[in-house]
């Protein structure tokens, strides 16, 4: 505990709050009736706050989440379910036991503000009881399971159904979320609810209103998808959200139920003696030699042949290569001679010309303006070479 410190005063506080944190709650419930247990956030809040702080007038309302499991088991018993919508809501344990026995449930509350935890233990003793022979299940379309589980709401619903059944001897047998029975998650809009199934049971046979559900015309109406109104003063819902969906109403007459089939006969669990274990024959041995030839030897031979071929081409035909080289040299020599001869010839022809050579062949000739700069001596150190080039825009544009 975070609040536990040394000192006599704190020691007593710790003892008290430790007792609180390990509170053990005992309940006795009969088989076949709905059990609900509300995990009150307030109760756990007291465990989280050292009493000294509480007396100082500071009250917290911390978000909390709960983890519930059967003692020494990872999960809850099969018949028990847990629900909590939001860390600022109370949690609920609910379900209907079907066999007598005892369940120890560990409840861990985790404070989402301080991340402290508190542990409570719930000991549920289930006593034998009879299943109510006549049961009916109703669907409340405009409900969510957490809103139905508080005892006051359960009573409201029960009162409406007592009127419908026309008897006071009515017990709620089961309450379940429609989502647990294949229902769809509703749109996150106002007026859309998950839906809740409420099962009630009684010793008394179904009332006339209820028996209407069994009639063929009602079933025909329902399969046709029409909005079924059950007339004759059978609508008893005082609050719209507690109104039942008639077409999803189901009646169960447990007295007519077929006796459960006899359980399969269980043997002694020991195999009868008879013969020794005979291992299966080992499969026939397989000859891998052809596979070896195909995968190893053939590629190897091919590789050797290719290797030899390459070696022959590289080294065996060396003579031929030399011969070809000699021929190439001859051809190159011939080309050289002809180029040389042609140049000589061209020079002779140029020497015999009477016209002056074209301007473009002269040095320092500006091809754009046709100006000759031959008078400038390019070897003179005082005149930069670049001046020979004339800028056509230099006359029109002012220089800066
Ligand atoms: C109660 O409803 C739940 C959910 O549909 C179901 O699994 C469970 O068997 C029901 N219990 C009884 C006793 O009918």
């Amino acid at each position: 505990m975070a609040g536990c410190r040394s000192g006599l005063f704190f020691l007593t506080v710790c003892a008290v709050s430790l007792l609180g944190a390990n509170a053990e709650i005992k309940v006795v419930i009969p088989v076949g009736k709905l059990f609900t247990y509300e995990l009150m956030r307030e109760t756990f809040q007291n465990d989280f706050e050292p009493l000294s702080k509480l007396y100082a007038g500071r009250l917290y309302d911390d978000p909390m989440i709960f983890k519930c499991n059967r003692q020494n088991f990872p999960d809850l018993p099969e018949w028990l379910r847990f629900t909590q919508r939001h860390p600022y809501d109370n949690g609920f344990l609910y379900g209907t036991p079907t066999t007598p026995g005892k369940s120890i449930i560990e409840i861990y509350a985790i404070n989402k503000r301080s991340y402290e935890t508190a542990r409570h233990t719930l000991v549920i003793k289930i006593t034998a009881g009879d299943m109510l022979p006549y049961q009916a299940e109703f669907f409340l379309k405009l409900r969510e399971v957490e809103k139905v589980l508080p005892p006051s709401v359960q009573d409201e619903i029960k009162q409406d159904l007592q009127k419908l059944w026309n008897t006071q001897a009515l017990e709620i047998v089961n309450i379940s979320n429609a989502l647990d029975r294949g229902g769809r998650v509703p749109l996150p809009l106002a007026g859309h609810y998950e839906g809740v199934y409420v099962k009630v049971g009684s010793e008394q046979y179904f009332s006339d209103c209820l028996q209407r559900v069994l009639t063929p015309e009602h079933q025909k109406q329902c399969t046709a998808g029409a909005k079924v109104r059950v007339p004759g003063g059978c609508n008893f819902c005082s609050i719209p959200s507690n109104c039942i969906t008639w077409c999803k109403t189901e009646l169960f007459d447990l007295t007519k139920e077929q006796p459960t089939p006899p359980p399969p006969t269980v043997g002694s669990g020991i195999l009868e003696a008879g013969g020794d274990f005979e291992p299966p024959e080992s499969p026939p041995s397989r000859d891998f030699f052809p596979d070896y030839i195909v995968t190893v030897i053939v590629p190897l031979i091919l590789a050797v042949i290719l290797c030899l071929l390459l070696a022959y081409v590289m080294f065996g035909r060396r003579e031929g290569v030399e011969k070809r080289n000699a021929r190439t040299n001859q051809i190159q020599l011939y080309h050289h001679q002809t180029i040389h001869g042609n140049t000589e010839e061209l020079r002779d022809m140029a020497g015999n010309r009477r016209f002056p050579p074209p301007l473009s062949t002269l040095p320092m000739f500006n091809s754009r303006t046709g100006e000759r700069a031959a008078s400038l001596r390019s070897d003179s150190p005082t005149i930069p070479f670049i001046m020979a080039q004339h800028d056509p825009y230099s006359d029109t544009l002012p220089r800066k």
Side-chain angles (χ1 to χ4, degrees):
M1 276 246 139
C4 288
R5 268 162 241 146
S6 55
L8 207 66
F9 172 68
F10 280 106
L11 219 73
T12 48
V13 168
C14 280
V16 168
S17 53
L18 270 173
L19 274 180
N22 281 316
E24 197 177 87
I25 304 120
K26 288 191 177 118
V27 286
V28 180
I29 54 167
V31 158
K33 307 261 161 57
L34 180 75
F35 161 73
T36 41
Y37 181 75
E38 190 167 2
L39 305 177
M40 307 283 266
R41 284 174 47 249
E42 280 169 56
T43 322
F44 289 91
Q45 188 74 59
N46 291 346
D47 292 342
F48 292 130
E49 294 314 318
L51 289 182
S52 56
K53 241 191 210 171
L54 279 182
Y55 289 136
R58 276 207 74 175
L59 284 170
Y60 285 100
D61 182 28
D62 293 337
M64 269 178 225
I65 56 167
F66 299 98
K67 295 255 183 296
C68 306
N69 63 283
R70 200 170 143 200
Q71 197 173 45
N72 303 329
F73 288 89
D75 216 340
L76 285 171
E78 199 191 0
W79 61 272
L80 195 62
R81 280 155 283 156
F82 169 74
T83 182
Q84 185 193 15
R85 178 83 27 166
H86 191 269
Y88 281 103
D89 291 333
N90 287 340
F92 283 97
L93 280 167
Y94 66 104
T96 313
T98 46
T99 46
K102 189 175 157 185
S103 297
I104 300 172
I105 311 297
E106 287 177 323
I107 301 160
Y108 292 94
I110 299 151
N111 186 327
K112 294 296 269 181
R113 182 180 58 86
S114 62
Y115 287 92
E116 282 179 90
T117 57
R119 177 174 169 271
H120 283 196
T121 320
L122 179 66
V123 181
I124 305 172
K125 190 155 184 278
I126 305 157
T127 55
D130 287 329
M131 285 287 198
L132 293 161
Y134 304 107
Q135 299 190 351
E137 191 169 60
F138 303 97
F139 181 63
L140 309 185
K141 199 178 144 201
L142 303 178
R143 280 293 194 183
E144 270 160 3
V145 74
E146 295 91 352
K147 304 282 156 55
V148 169
L149 289 172
S152 58
V153 183
Q154 282 189 41
D155 280 342
E156 281 173 20
I157 294 168
K158 200 165 127 183
Q159 276 162 26
D160 286 351
L161 294 178
Q162 277 168 341
K163 282 179 210 149
L164 180 63
W165 203 303
N166 200 13
T167 176
Q168 288 295 307
L170 198 75
E171 295 283 353
I172 293 185
V173 169
N174 206 354
I175 289 181
S176 51
N177 191 340
L179 295 188
D180 293 342
R181 305 186 35 168
R184 287 194 169 193
V185 177
L187 291 173
L189 300 174
H192 287 75
Y193 301 93
E194 287 164 3
V196 174
Y197 286 93
V198 177
K199 201 179 197 179
V200 293
S202 176
E203 299 279 353
Q204 195 173 316
Y205 193 66
F206 307 116
S207 66
D208 293 343
C209 278
L210 282 174
Q211 284 179 48
R212 225 175 270 249
V213 170
L214 298 171
T215 59
E217 50 200 291
H218 173 87
Q219 277 157 13
K220 212 188 285 166
Q221 271 182 312
C222 282
T223 46
K227 194 166 191 305
V228 177
R229 300 208 115 257
V230 173
C234 286
N235 275 319
F236 288 106
C237 58
S238 47
I239 306 170
S241 54
N242 288 350
C243 290
I244 61 170
T245 303
W246 277 98
C247 278
K248 287 200 178 175
T249 302
E250 261 190 274
L251 306 184
F252 305 89
D253 188 346
L254 299 191
T255 54
K256 277 197 209 145
E257 296 250 301
Q258 296 88 3
T260 48
T265 47
V266 180
S268 62
I270 299 161
L271 277 179
E272 291 141 30
D276 295 324
F277 173 69
E278 294 212 1
E281 294 271 312
S282 58
S285 62
R286 216 179 124 192
D287 187 11
F288 287 103
F289 189 67
D291 291 347
Y292 175 70
I293 294 218
V294 169
T295 55
V296 177
I297 299 295
V298 169
L300 204 67
I301 289 171
L302 276 176
V304 168
I305 288 171
L306 284 175
C307 216
L308 290 176
L309 208 67
L310 200 64
Y312 172 70
V313 169
M314 291 292 289
F315 305 107
R317 287 173 59 82
R318 187 109 194 129
E319 205 186 322
V321 170
E322 271 167 8
K323 262 188 206 153
R324 198 181 306 141
N325 282 351
R327 201 177 307 139
T328 320
N329 284 349
Q330 273 178 5
I331 289 167
Q332 279 175 351
L333 240 162
Y334 175 73
H335 273 199
H336 184 79
Q337 279 174 356
T338 40
I339 288 166
H340 193 74
N342 290 349
T343 322
E344 292 285 303
E345 204 181 333
L346 278 169
R347 286 213 182 112
D348 286 347
M349 283 163 75
N352 294 340
R353 257 199 306 235
R354 267 189 252 146
F355 308 105
L359 288 177
S360 62
T361 62
L362 292 173
M364 305 302 282
F365 171 74
N366 190 320
S367 60
R368 237 181 290 129
T369 56
E371 187 190 341
R372 279 183 72 174
S375 57
L376 296 175
R377 293 185 54 156
S378 58
D379 53 356
S380 163
T382 52
I383 301 155
F385 185 70
I386 200 82
M387 271 189 68
Q389 291 189 342
H390 184 76
D391 187 356
Y393 299 106
S394 60
D395 300 332
T396 52
L397 288 173
R399 277 211 184 188
K400 283 191 180 167

